[in-house]
Amino acid sequence: MALPHSVLTGLAFLFAATILSREIHNDYTCRSIAHPNPVILLHGLGATYYEDLNVLEIYLQSQGYCTFSLTYGDYAAFPFVGGLKPIDSSAAEVEAFINQVHSRTRAAKVDLVGHSEGGFLALYVPKFRGVAPILDKLVAIAPPTHGTTFAGLYNLAYVGGNLTRELVSTVLDTVGCAACDEIGVGGSAVARLNDGKQIVQSGNSLTVIMSKFDELVTPTATAFVEEQGVNNLYVQDFCPLDPVGHLGEAYDTNVWNLVVNALDSTPNRTFSCSLGSPGR
């Protein structure tokens, strides 16, 4: 059976972009009349700037955006896995990078696009790190806004009540992933983000993109931010046959199109759907 043109086009772009993904990185001379806001991409837990959102970054560049990215939350002894440090530590790194991009590009505003933990930071950093005035569009792909069960890990942790919760916390801290615990259900960063005060800051607009088949941020609706003006989207509301899961959302061309719609403030723009990667 022949694959639809939209699927073939998406696969061809993924292949080409993977090859080119390390060629253009953090070009501070980049300027775009059509898209004046630089776009900073924030990878997910355990990833780096050159994986996870790297292909989306190349896609955005092909659409005329000036993009920037960093690896945050990694340890010097093991730099190939990011997002492990405490959320506040990673938030400080992201804050510094936002200020750097803003200053060196001389742009009026900067946009953020994050996936998974990066999506969480796209919510957390503007609220707590004082950079909201220089930010404009925020796009969070599958963020654990209200915590995640990590496909059931934390449900098991609660079987023994607070005792096992503390045990899981100790284990995660010992292996060097404080963030794993902090963005779990009941985690400290989740509690701080959801402290009863507005998540979306004045002057910022937020779009949350989620798949109904995400198996890591569960229940899936916990990704959403229920505040006035927030655009909470399921991929399947636009592409009903897309089975994309959590990891695949970073590489899904339907998600990419929704990201572009959010960055361009064109939520009703239509596009051809492709077939995403199923499962987690």
Side-chain angles (χ1 to χ4, degrees):
M1 181 181 70
L3 290 173
H5 174 73
S6 60
V7 176
L8 291 173
T9 301
L11 291 174
F13 188 89
L14 284 171
F15 177 75
T18 300
I19 295 174
L20 296 172
S21 62
R22 300 189 187 188
E23 297 299 316
I24 307 172
H25 185 240
N26 295 352
D27 178 7
Y28 289 98
T29 67
C30 180
R31 301 291 185 273
S32 175
I33 295 175
H35 309 291
N37 290 357
V39 180
I40 293 176
L41 294 104
L42 303 173
H43 61 77
L45 179 67
T48 62
Y49 81 82
Y50 51 83
E51 57 182 334
D52 190 44
L53 290 183
N54 59 313
V55 189
L56 170 58
E57 181 169 11
I58 294 299
Y59 174 74
L60 291 176
Q61 290 176 2
S62 77
Q63 302 302 303
Y65 295 88
C66 297
T67 68
F68 300 84
S69 56
L70 80 162
T71 298
Y72 65 83
D74 58 323
Y75 291 95
F78 196 45
F80 308 111
V81 182
L84 301 180
K85 289 183 178 179
I87 290 296
D88 278 328
S89 176
S90 292
E93 293 181 52
V94 173
E95 173 202 348
F97 191 66
I98 291 170
N99 283 321
Q100 176 177 300
V101 171
H102 180 250
S103 174
R104 293 185 61 178
T105 62
R106 299 182 181 179
K109 297 276 188 175
V110 176
D111 295 337
L112 298 182
V113 177
H115 173 233
S116 194
E117 182 187 0
F120 185 90
L121 286 168
L123 308 177
Y124 192 91
V125 171
K127 180 171 179 176
F128 296 115
R129 302 301 303 190
V131 291
I134 62 173
L135 295 175
D136 185 10
K137 308 290 194 319
L138 312 176
V139 185
I141 304 168
T145 306
H146 300 281
T148 172
T149 60
F150 288 106
L153 171 63
Y154 277 90
N155 287 336
L156 292 175
Y158 275 111
V159 169
N162 290 334
L163 179 61
T164 50
R165 164 69 182 185
E166 291 170 5
L167 177 60
V168 169
S169 176
T170 300
V171 170
L172 292 174
D173 284 339
T174 300
V175 299
C177 186
C180 297
D181 185 54
E182 291 181 349
I183 60 177
V185 175
S188 59
V190 170
R192 189 175 183 210
L193 181 65
N194 297 280
D195 60 3
K197 299 177 182 178
Q198 194 85 358
I199 291 177
V200 183
Q201 302 301 290
S202 176
N204 298 166
S205 66
L206 171 63
T207 299
V208 180
I209 301 170
M210 188 62 176
S211 172
K212 293 180 179 179
F213 301 107
D214 193 305
E215 295 179 13
L216 292 186
V217 177
T218 53
T220 58
T222 60
F224 294 146
V225 175
E226 301 297 341
E227 294 178 2
Q228 186 173 2
V230 175
N231 200 11
N232 292 309
L233 308 175
Y234 275 119
V235 179
Q236 289 75 22
D237 291 341
F238 298 82
C239 300
L241 301 181
D242 189 349
V244 68
H246 186 79
L247 299 180
E249 285 164 289
Y251 302 96
D252 186 87
T253 56
N254 302 323
V255 172
W256 296 356
N257 274 288
L258 293 175
V259 169
V260 167
N261 285 2
L263 294 176
D264 287 354
S265 298
T266 56
N268 297 320
R269 181 185 68 91
T270 59
F271 54 88
S272 298
C273 292
S274 61
L275 190 62
S277 172
R280 290 183 173 83

